Each structure stands twice: as C-alpha cells, then as structure tokens.
Amino acid sequence: MHTVNTHKLISDLQQQGQFLTLSRRSVELVQKPISFTLDEHTQVSIISPGIISFTPKIKSVKAIVLSSGIHGNETAPIEICDQYVVDILTGKIRVAHRVLFIFGNLPAMDKATRFVDENLNRLFSHAHANESVDQNSYECARAKEIEKAVAQFYEAGHSDESRYHYDLHTAIRPSKNEKFAVYPFLHGEKHSKDQISFLLACGIDTFLLSGSPTTTFSYYSSRQFGAHAFTVELGKVEAFGQNDMSRFTQVNDTLKRLICGQPLNLKSFNHQDVLIYQVNQVINKHEDDFVLDFSDDLPNFSDFSKGTLLAHETGNEYRAEFDGEAVVFPNANVAIGQRAILTVIPTTLD
Ligand SMILES: [Zn+2]
C-alpha cells in the first residue's frame, strides 16, 4: 500500500521520532495523511503537518488532546510534547489512551513569534469566518484544520470515552502565580474538582474561571465536545533550547502518566491548595491612544485597591472595582476592539 518513500519515512520516524522536525523542515513529507502501526500495539495517524494521533489497540477509555505552539514562540510546551511524540514513535513509552498531539503555529515557531498574521487562539468556534479576520492568513486556514482534526478525533471514539484537552502555553509576561490554568466558561455546568486536582499535580495551583464564551481553542473543545478542557500557562516565554526544563518536571511527569495510563496518585480537592479567580472586567481597547497605567512588565495576577486607575484612552478610564482585583494578560498593543486587560477577583468553587 505505501510507496517506497513512505516506507522510508515510516522507518525513519520509528528510529528517530522526528515528526515535529519534519513538519517544520520537510513539510511535503507529512502533507498527506499516513497511517502505520507500532509493533502491533499502537496505530499512528499523521493527519497533517504538526498533527498526529496515537491509538492503542487495547480499548481506550480516554481521548486526550495535547496542544502546544498555538502561539509559535511558546517553546517549553512544544519541547515537552515533541519529546512525548519522539518517545512514543521510537517505542520508549507506550500510550494507554487515544492521544492527539497538535503543534499549532508551525511558521510562527520558525519566526520565533506569537503568530504570523493573526492570533490563532482567537480564531476558534468559527471566529475564523468573521469579517475582521483575513481569510487568506495562515492562522485562518490552520484554525479550520485544527478544528476538523479535533472533531474527527473525538468523534472517532466510543461513546463512553471521556474527553480531555490541555492547551499548553507560556505567558509573555512573568506571573505572580507562575503556572495557572484558564477554565473555559461552562454555561452553568459544574467545574470538575478532579480536574483541578489533576492540574495541581501538574504544578498548577491558580485557576481562572472564564465567565463568558470565547474564541479560544480550549473553549471550543469544552463547548463543542464536552471535553475537560483548559488553557494551561506554564511559565514565561523563552527561546527554543533556553527553557530550564527542571521547572516543568511536574507537568511533564504527570501528563506522561496520564497518556501512558500510569497511576496519577492525585490529592483530593482542598480549597486551601488552590487560588481560584473569576473574571470581573473584560477591558477592550477602543482607541489608538489606549495605555496601561501600570508598568509594562507588571506580573500577571498583580492586584490593586478599589478605584485604582488601570488604563485609559480618549473618552474612557478603567479602574479596579474591588480591593484585591488583579490583572491578567494586559496588552495595550492589541488591535482596536480586542481585549487589552482581563481583571479577576478571588472566588471559590461550590
Ligand atoms: Zn499562548
């Protein structure tokens, strides 16, 4: 069935595992879907450049999506997931569940930038079809391709499979809470304490509960497929090869245990172990002269007292509405109409 060249590719992949390298350097080799099996126990499906799934022959009870590089310069999670893929292909580790790896923005990785034309993480749930989005941009096509791959992956499973998606990022700015996760808006569904315990085992102790639908990747998986989905921020952006991987030991080890079906030994949920915030204000930029009224390198989750001026622009002033209100993801350089600051206040889970 496979051509001579495909045989060579499959044999190279099993010896070196270099799927991500090929996706970035020899994209023509992985442009068309290819399937093969590893020692009769795992089905490998190359779906498109940067997108690959593994299906164990034993019945899977979990369908797990691990995405990285949705922002191209957020290298640590890309390096972690690349290593999993290498280890699976070369037989060093074996998956016990169905796993889909997505390396999001391949050209932005080469340019060491967040994106090429558009922020990919604002293009999901059909936001890529919005008038304001350049339909010819790389990210627009990529968002569609990723959505399709996720839909096919989840829908290919048994109805009793549970679905997970961890969209792994690193933040542009430092954070008072280095690792944190954004829990997409659940439309009234209950938040999962088991998932909070799982992420705590990954070293993530701060959670931000989103209060409205968004166009992020994790909201898409959560809303469309009922997946336990999170945007996970693992620390600060560094160049490829510059990450201190010892800072990622917990998340690296715990995700590997999850995909390989090894015991997770989770601590049961306890309010004392975690910081939980809910969104209070979404501050969008309306004018070109929008400026932040705090230092540009202020860490995420820095908090303010009630009434403090956070940002201003012609015709508007934005202030903290509560004591202890904290800012997350401030960025004055976004396009008009986009979110410039999110403010959050502490909350608890029911
Ligand atoms: Zn990111």
Side-chain angles (χ1 to χ4, degrees), residues 34-178:
I34 302 168
S35 289
F36 56 97
T37 53
L38 297 171
D39 294 335
E40 305 296 316
H41 58 68
T42 304
Q43 173 86 19
V44 182
S45 297
I46 293 176
I47 293 145
S48 61
I51 307 182
I52 188 168
S53 74
F54 299 97
T55 304
K57 284 277 160 73
I58 52 165
K59 189 187 170 191
S60 164
V61 293
K62 294 178 180 174
I64 303 161
V65 176
L66 293 181
S67 53
S68 61
I70 292 296
H71 295 133
N73 60 346
E74 299 178 359
T75 57
I78 301 170
E79 290 177 343
I80 290 169
C81 289
D82 181 32
Q83 192 61 52
Y84 293 154
V85 170
V86 169
D87 288 351
I88 296 165
L89 285 168
T90 57
K92 207 172 151 200
I93 60 174
R94 197 191 279 198
V95 295
H97 303 292
R98 296 199 307 121
V99 187
L100 175 69
F101 287 95
I102 295 172
F103 299 94
N105 200 324
L106 300 169
M109 287 176 206
D110 292 339
K111 297 174 71 161
T113 53
R114 212 167 144 72
F115 51 81
V116 181
D117 299 310
E118 300 262 357
N119 180 350
L120 182 54
N121 209 22
R122 295 214 170 113
L123 296 180
F124 289 89
S125 302
H126 292 285
H128 49 71
N130 282 355
E131 273 175 35
S132 62
V133 173
D134 173 6
Q135 296 300 313
N136 298 316
S137 68
Y138 168 79
E139 282 85 4
C140 189
R142 189 62 168 163
K144 283 186 226 172
E145 188 168 51
I146 290 172
E147 284 190 350
K148 192 172 149 209
V150 168
Q152 285 177 345
F153 175 73
Y154 282 137
E155 285 161 2
H158 304 278
S159 57
D160 52 351
E161 234 178 19
S162 29
R163 296 167 172 177
Y164 305 85
H165 175 200
Y166 304 102
D167 182 32
L168 308 172
H169 291 249
T170 50
I172 307 171
R173 59 181 61 238
S175 177
K176 276 177 78 182
N177 312 84
E178 190 193 58

Side-chain angles (χ1 to χ4, degrees), residues 1-14 29 32-38 40 42-46:
M1 293 252 289
H2 291 137
T3 65
V4 175
N5 285 345
T6 308
H7 274 297
K8 164 121 178 39
L9 172 67
I10 292 169
S11 136
D12 285 352
L13 281 170
Q14 293 191 53
L29 291 178
K32 285 199 198 120
I34 302 168
S35 289
F36 56 97
T37 53
L38 297 171
E40 305 296 316
T42 304
Q43 173 86 19
V44 182
S45 297
I46 293 176

Side-chain angles (χ1 to χ4, degrees), residues 196-261:
I196 300 231
S197 294
F198 172 76
L199 289 165
L200 190 60
C202 292
I204 295 143
D205 62 359
T206 302
F207 295 85
L208 172 52
L209 310 181
S210 176
S212 57
T214 54
T215 51
T216 62
F217 191 11
S218 64
Y219 175 80
Y220 170 75
S221 305
S222 169
R223 183 65 176 156
Q224 294 298 316
F225 305 104
H228 293 292
F230 298 86
T231 306
V232 182
E233 298 282 352
L234 293 173
K236 199 174 171 309
V237 164
E238 304 288 352
F240 278 114
Q242 303 294 303
N243 293 296
D244 172 3
M245 294 315 270
S246 69
R247 299 172 81 136
F248 303 98
T249 309
Q250 267 182 294
V251 64
N252 195 353
D253 184 57
T254 307
L255 287 176
K256 194 187 294 176
R257 286 176 169 278
L258 174 73
I259 62 176
C260 295

